[in-house]
Amino acid sequence: MRIEYLFPVFLFCGATLFSQTKNENIVPNENLIVENIPAIPKSLNEKTKKYSESRGASLTAVHPNGKELIMVTRFASTNQLHKLSQPMGARKQLTFFDEPVNFADYEPTKGEYLIYSKDIGGNEFGQLFKLDLKAMESTLLTDGGRSQNGGITWKKDGSGFYFSSTKRNGGDRDIYFMNPSKPEETILILEVKGGGWGINDISDDGKKLIIGEYISANESHLYLLDTQTKKLEPITDRTEKQIVQGRAKFAKNPDEIFYITDRDNEFARLATFNLKTKKINYFTSNIPWEVSNYALTKDKTKLAFQTNEGGLHKMYLMDTANKKYSEVQGLPVGLIGGIDFSNDGKSLFFSQSTYDSSADIYRLDLASNRVERWTESEQGEMQKSDMSQPKLIEWNSFDGMKITGFYYPASSKFTGKRPVLINIHGGPEGQSMASSLGSGNYYTNEMGVSVIFPNVRGSSGFGKTFIASDNGFLRMNSVKDIGALLDWIAKQPELDKDRIMIMGGSYGGFMTLATAYEYADKIRCSVDIVGISDFNTFLKNTEEYRRDLRRVEYGDERDTKMSEFFTKIAPLNNTDKIKKPMFIIQGTNDPRVPVTEATQMRDKLKAQGNTVWYLEAKNEGHGFRKKENIDFQRLAVIKFMQEYLLK
């Protein structure tokens, strides 16, 4: 089980109709709390519209007949489920909620209904629903309260599914079984301790489940659960530390499982584990990058896996009998997601995006090796010439460690040294990839601002040593990586070292705040989005199911020395060093980084007379997901840049 942190700083959503005053200024909608943000003219909204109308399409489920699929895209305010029955065919919208729906799965035998997940206001307490595709009626299946429910794994006969839920106490992620026709008879199968448990796979006879326990980005374990006796037995050795062992699936040989592990290697490899002999065989040792995902055909004779090669993806096909594999040829250079075989094993569906396109869905015909496009998402009025192409850059940090990132240059139509936006990902185990800037192309093509996405130490995708190199008391070393990037910028003839803005979300928000006080004399301004301002208060107030998982990464605030260290490095306790304007953005319902992390930082900066803009959305959580809020956030950030970066 790998937890991914993907934070939407540049969001690919269209412009909306704002209320307008007589003097043509935009009025924030009723869910937005706006403090100290000056009036934003309607004309700015009109200028950005060219860049804010793009959308993407992602795959979430393939019908049992292999000829239809469920995809996620946005046509109104939020992402919703759509059905697609042929390549380049019309998309039939299935859900029409104010809240986004980003996951669904077919009932596995006839595909007559879907199970999907939806939360409220970004609170991430996802509830499961059944959508009858004939009657088009939805039924709530779970408790509807403050519990997380997900990870559904169907029995092969469609008689029900196993899923994980925190409903028992809000913190422990137990395993349950549900017949969706009788949700009131849901059965507790496995009671656990901790929030990192989940289901990896189910055996063909339904008698065994592979259960995963996620400890941290550097450690996870596997177990075998007998669904009849409810007995849990370890597959991997729980006493072995700092080994990733996850994404396990039953192989054709019933005594064998496929899984991904970084055992005895810097990068995670695809391997098999024999349940009887405990023997491990590795298959991707000659690929010096991590295997990040894979899928098996229903008959388990073919396997597709994807590698993450420095922020770009490649895809390979394997014959599971002889374990020989080859790269899928003819795919554009970009990112791949959502790989899934049809039941007959003849087709592989996947989504792909590039620097000049949003995600779209494709089908690979395994007999002919021909790739067929199924969707072509709109890019609004943006042309390829409007889009900045990323360049891989690298620099040495204070201790000689090589750090890399993706640099999106400002358009060549601008002359002179260009201002820079440094955008730091969250996680900290996230990774900035060579993706499209989407609406962020406005910065490079209209404002002349170059954008850099650094992958500081602690980022995933660069090996287990790198990902662990910021843990605990090493936290500020990743901030020093940004300091080294500032020095790198100063040496580039086309970049302006005196006009630099820092922006980041979640952990990237902490990095933004920490950079603001550590390197106050080297930056112009900062934008903190759902950022951590004090690890002590963050760990006290984050949702219970996350707390122990985050302590492994950041450190345990109950330890006196660690708490003292947190106090020392907290941006909240270093506001006297912050000299430049700050923009703080937050969702009221954020279960990860509570709203108090933002308000306490805002209040302290205001009290000492700093320039601080503040934007809070009452109907959002860990990042904005609703179009009307995203649009206002985008315009407010551009206004902030105009005021404090470009002048």
Side-chain angles (χ1 to χ4, degrees), residues 34-297:
V34 175
E35 297 180 11
N36 206 35
I37 300 175
I40 300 173
K42 178 184 177 182
S43 59
L44 180 58
N45 183 46
E46 293 170 344
K47 289 177 182 177
T48 62
K49 191 172 183 181
K50 172 180 177 179
Y51 298 87
S52 60
E53 293 293 336
S54 63
R55 60 172 58 88
S58 60
L59 174 69
T60 185
V62 179
H63 193 282
N65 65 18
K67 299 176 182 178
E68 301 175 4
L69 55 83
I70 300 298
M71 53 171 280
V72 174
T73 192
R74 178 201 55 78
F75 277 92
S77 177
T78 57
N79 283 343
Q80 298 295 321
L81 302 177
H82 296 72
K83 184 174 78 171
L84 189 60
S85 300
Q86 64 183 30
M88 306 304 292
R91 312 171 210 185
K92 180 182 178 182
Q93 189 165 342
L94 302 178
T95 56
F96 300 85
F97 300 111
D98 293 334
E99 303 295 341
V101 183
N102 289 307
F103 164 80
D105 200 11
Y106 278 108
E107 178 279 319
T109 60
K110 297 181 180 179
E112 293 180 346
Y113 61 88
L114 298 173
I115 304 297
Y116 67 89
S117 175
K118 179 172 67 71
D119 70 2
I120 297 175
N123 64 11
E124 298 187 22
F125 293 114
Q127 302 299 315
L128 298 180
F129 297 80
K130 176 183 177 181
L131 174 60
D132 186 312
L133 293 174
K134 292 183 178 178
M136 293 306 296
E137 294 179 350
S138 286
T139 304
L140 175 65
L141 300 177
T142 45
D143 59 20
R146 291 182 65 82
S147 64
Q148 278 195 336
N149 305 273
I152 71 171
T153 302
W154 283 95
K155 293 183 71 173
K156 307 298 182 184
D157 62 6
S159 60
F161 57 82
Y162 296 90
F163 69 104
S164 60
S165 176
T166 61
K167 70 177 183 177
R168 178 169 57 88
N169 59 16
D172 299 323
R173 201 175 301 276
D174 301 325
I175 307 300
Y176 294 81
F177 176 78
M178 177 193 293
N179 176 348
S181 297
K182 300 178 180 179
E184 69 280 1
E185 298 179 5
T186 297
I187 303 169
L188 174 63
I189 300 295
L190 177 66
E191 189 174 300
V192 298
K193 178 64 177 175
W197 295 81
I199 305 166
N200 280 219
D201 198 17
I202 186 171
S203 61
D204 286 341
D205 60 10
K207 295 180 179 179
K208 303 284 186 182
L209 291 178
I210 302 175
I211 304 295
E213 181 191 13
Y214 178 93
I215 304 297
S216 72
N218 283 92
E219 183 179 339
S220 49
H221 301 279
L222 296 171
Y223 302 82
L224 202 61
L225 176 66
D226 187 308
T227 59
Q228 296 173 321
T229 66
K230 300 182 182 180
K231 183 179 180 181
L232 186 71
E233 295 182 346
I235 295 175
T236 56
D237 187 348
R238 185 63 172 76
T239 64
E240 290 185 322
K241 305 299 183 182
Q242 302 302 303
I243 301 174
V244 169
Q245 301 160 117
R247 295 189 179 272
K249 296 180 184 294
F250 287 101
K252 192 173 182 65
N253 176 351
D255 295 327
E256 203 167 60
I257 63 170
F258 282 97
Y259 73 130
I260 295 174
T261 180
D262 65 4
R263 177 185 290 276
D264 300 327
N265 201 54
E266 189 63 33
F267 292 91
R269 295 177 286 181
L270 181 66
T272 54
F273 184 97
N274 190 290
L275 298 173
K276 288 186 175 180
T277 67
K278 309 296 184 183
K279 182 181 179 181
I280 303 172
N281 288 313
Y282 303 101
F283 305 113
T284 57
S285 300
N286 62 331
I287 299 176
W289 296 99
E290 70 170 20
V291 175
S292 53
N293 194 16
Y294 72 98
L296 272 169
T297 54

